Amino acid sequence: MGILHYLVLSALLFAVGAVGVILKKNVISIFLCIELMLNAVNLSFIAFSRFLNQVNGQIVVFFVMVVAAAEAVVGLAITIALHRARNTLNVDDADIMKW
Amino acid sequence: METLLFCLFGGIASAAAINVVVQRRVFYSALSLIICLSAIAGIYMLLEAAFIAAIQIIVYAGAIMVMFLFVIMLLDPFSSSALQDKKKSLGFIGVLLGTVALVLLYSLLKSYDLAQVPRNMEMSQGGVTALRILGSALFNDYLLPFEVTSVLILVAIIGAVVLAQRRT
Amino acid sequence: MIDYLWLIPLLPLAGSALNGLLGKRLSKRAISIIACGSSGAALLVALGAVSSLLQMPAEERHVIRHFFTWIASGDFIAKAEFLLDPLSAVMLLVVTGVGFIIHIYSIGYMHAENGYYRFFSYMNLFLFSMLVLVLADNFLLMFVGWEGVGLCSYLLIGYYFDRRSAGDAGKKAFIVNRIGDVGFVLGMLLVFATFNSLDFDAVFRQIASGTERFPFETGLGILGAIGLLLFIGATGKSAQIPLYVWLPDAMEGPTPVSALIHAATMVTAGVYMTVRCSPIFSRSEVAMDTVAIIGILTALLAATIAVAQTDIKRVLAYSTISQLGYMFVAAGVGACSAAIFHLMTHAFFKALLFLGAGSVIHSMSGEQDMMHMGGLRKSIPITCATMMIAALAISGIPPLAGFFSKDEILWSAWTHGHPIVWLVGFAVAGLTAFYMFRLIFLTFFGSQHFSEEVRHHVHESPFSMTMPLIALAILSVVGGLYGLPALLGVGENGFFKFLEPSLSLAYHPAVAELPHSLEWVFAGASVLIASLGIYLAFSIYVAHPEAAANWGGKARRLHQLLVRKYFVDEFYDAVVIKPTLTGSTELLWKGVDVGIIDGSVNGVGARVYGWARVLKFVQNGLVRSYAAWILLGAILILFYVAMAGH
């Protein structure tokens, strides 16, 4: 089992997440896809950590998780605020800042 | 054995990921994501990162996703009507870009010869010793980011409270 | 005393600064004392310096005093150095002497003016510039003085700045001078390129000692080119064809200005420069011939125009142009000493004529048209007598100064092989006598053509004005006596002998050795034609005054041509000024400045605005499209990495 398999899996999950960010219209769905992308990256870090025999990859994943948690908290708070203001969860409705 | 487990977990993860994108109702997307995260935790185990796998289950699938589910439940989880699409071509563009990215990444990854990368022998012993190494690295070399993340969490809490409070 | 050479220009400069900066608060008496005092002091120092020079043996009369190095840049060194040799000594005395006399005169003439201090400040500044010009020992410092006198000329012509015509005349003088200066600067550049130095000594010695490199040129060689370019500058400064048109208009300035600047000193700067550069000119046949031909043509042209003018100052202006032509003729045929001799005598009687005219105008309460004068002989006797002396001098009646100098020029023209030049010069001598005495007769004789009111105010000028007149009259009488021994065949011309060291580096071709008696014949002929001119003027303007009107009526076309100065100003206006103005407006202003420069600058702005108007639609507010763009960017980077890797 080479590292390539893990990296390809990571790439696949990342691509799926990216498609989802662009495709989905519900704000929370977009957040879920972002979490998916982060996890894909975590996977590749762990793979490298294993195959390079270094602990740094796992440390990075540790921190990524912390940051992802914080980011999810703030993002959901914004979503709640948005829902309260516009009564909508459609990201396309928040388009006032344009030309 | 390893290959089998990899295919198993990998397949579950991929299928769940695709399901996240495909599902129309956000509740089901969230549940799919939980499954995906758990499969990924299994892969972590496969990659001898036991601690991280545990963290993944506890923090990611357990805490973060539950928080997502809370908010989803709070805000209209089962909306049946498809949301308005202001730019219809975006869907097509998204899929296109995703496939291009995937193809590009694959060809790029394949072109590198990763067997030549030097290895560190310390981690060969699995289990507790690996955890010790992780712990000592975390609290010696990476102490500052560690402390900073605690501040980060504090900021996030305060930010969330401020953002989500009711304006009276 | 020669060590105090630096005082000579600096005293007038100090006087100019004092009067200029503090003049508003000083009394008229104080201003006069400062101005005349500084110019008088300069005269005294000059006399002292020249007497020191005279005490040296003739070969050593070439004194250089170095003050500071102005520019030292690589090969090019420009120094502030003064040269005192016979030539600059003569010019020095003429400038300071006549300058001082005119300053005294101006006290009386300008006493009623408001800008009294301004006048004297400018006059002193002019003295400074002219002295720098005369004393300079390199081209660059001379050019500094050259430009300085041009500036002062502009300032003084436009002295009555509330008159539009005065301002226009000042501008005209400065601009026409500037055109000539282009030639001068080009000549200087060529000098530096050829000789690698701008010092007179260095350049002239190189020419004199390098006979293979600088032979006598019959065609147009390097020396001829330099000479012609420098001469262009001289035509501008000394009012020759084609750049003489500013001098008649310059009569807008006060009369002392006309006397000092436009008769005695500034306009002679071109002659001085030509004589100073005689080593260059004398070795080029083309340059010499050009100088002589332009000189004689200008003399003829100006004399014919002067015959028909009615403004007393205009007649004198054209007379100046004509006499300057004579000086250039002398320089052009190789008789540089004669040119300087005539320069000196001309300074005396022309300054006298102008100051006298000022006296007449002063007594006539500002009237300048001769047709409105007449019969002033008895009312202003001193002015009349001195002006008649000057008129006799300029007409070349012996033993007054003009006879000797003009005769010397005509004789040189003949002996140096230019018979046609002699013939035209001969005719011009007659014309000179005619128009000059026309002026005298119209002003002082005949019946009085002015009103009763003016008659009441007619009075002789105060002593401060008549004394300079008398002084200049004396100089006009005795100034030419240098030439008497040579004419009588009992010795040499002392003046010429004095000037010889300055002209030693020039090329002196062989001169026809003609018998002395022939010179007497020529002299006699000049006197004859001058007398004929005087008699003609007398018969027309005094004996039969109606005849003048008759003649004017019969030859009206010719008369108009002369009165309108051959329409030269109109010609220049149409051929030079209007195309330049139109070109500047249409092509340079509207075409280049507004169209190209403004257009491109504004165009850049407009282009950016245009692009922005199209590109702004990228910001459509949809977060998903932004995400798509980010993904696209990431893909492109990946692409680049993939490509670069192979």
Side-chain angles (χ1 to χ4, degrees), chain B residues 2 4 14 29 31 39 58 80 90 97 117 160 162:
Chain B
E2 191 186 339
L4 188 63
S14 313
S29 294
L31 292 181
I58 297 172
S80 53
L90 267 178
L97 286 176
V117 181
V162 167

Side-chain angles (χ1 to χ4, degrees), chain C residues 125 129 168 188 344 387 399 408 416 526 548:
Chain C
L125 188 65
S129 307
D168 286 347
M188 267 205 303
M344 185 178 73
M387 280 193 82
E408 195 59 49
H416 289 242
S526 316

Side-chain angles (χ1 to χ4, degrees), chain B residues 85-87 90-91 93-94 97-98 100-101 104-105 108 111-112, chain C residues 620 622 624-625 628-629 631-632 635-636 638-639 641-642 645-646:
Chain B
D85 203 346
K86 277 206 182 152
K87 200 160 158 72
L90 267 178
I93 290 175
L97 286 176
V100 168
L104 212 53
L105 277 170
L108 201 57
S111 67
Y112 285 101
Chain C
N620 53 9
L622 293 180
R624 298 195 296 147
S625 75
W629 280 108
L631 187 57
L632 180 64
I635 290 175
L636 286 174
L638 268 179
F639 209 68
V641 171
H646 299 322

Side-chain angles (χ1 to χ4, degrees), chain A residues 3 6 9 19 23-25 29 31-32 35 39 42 52-53 56 63 65 68 73 83-84 90 92 95, chain B residues 2 21 23 26 37 43-44 55-56 60 68 75 83-84 86 91 114 117 120 123 142 149 160 164-165:
Chain A
I3 192 177
Y6 294 99
L9 176 62
V19 170
L23 212 54
K24 311 289 283 174
K25 291 170 286 288
S29 297
F31 269 118
L32 294 174
E35 297 299 328
N39 274 282
N42 281 352
L52 295 182
N53 256 334
N56 297 321
F63 286 119
M65 282 192 197
V73 163
H83 184 84
R84 231 183 248 140
N90 188 354
D92 284 347
D95 64 348
Chain B
E2 191 186 339
V21 176
Q23 283 293 339
V26 70
L37 294 177
I43 299 180
Y44 287 167
I55 298 280
Q56 172 94 338
Y60 233 121
F68 264 102
L75 311 171
L83 296 175
Q84 282 286 343
K86 277 206 182 152
L114 294 158
V117 181
N120 189 337
M123 286 275 289
Y142 294 93
T149 47
Q165 66 182 205

Side-chain angles (χ1 to χ4, degrees), chain A residues 45-90:
Chain A
F45 269 120
I46 300 290
F48 271 111
S49 160
R50 157 77 163 81
F51 280 94
L52 295 182
N53 256 334
Q54 288 173 353
V55 79
N56 297 321
Q58 298 190 13
I59 302 282
V60 172
V61 168
F62 183 84
F63 286 119
V64 168
M65 282 192 197
V66 172
V67 171
E71 161 224 340
V73 163
V74 176
L76 289 174
I78 293 177
T79 311
I80 293 175
L82 178 69
H83 184 84
R84 231 183 248 140
R86 297 293 162 109
N87 201 28
T88 175
L89 284 175
N90 188 354

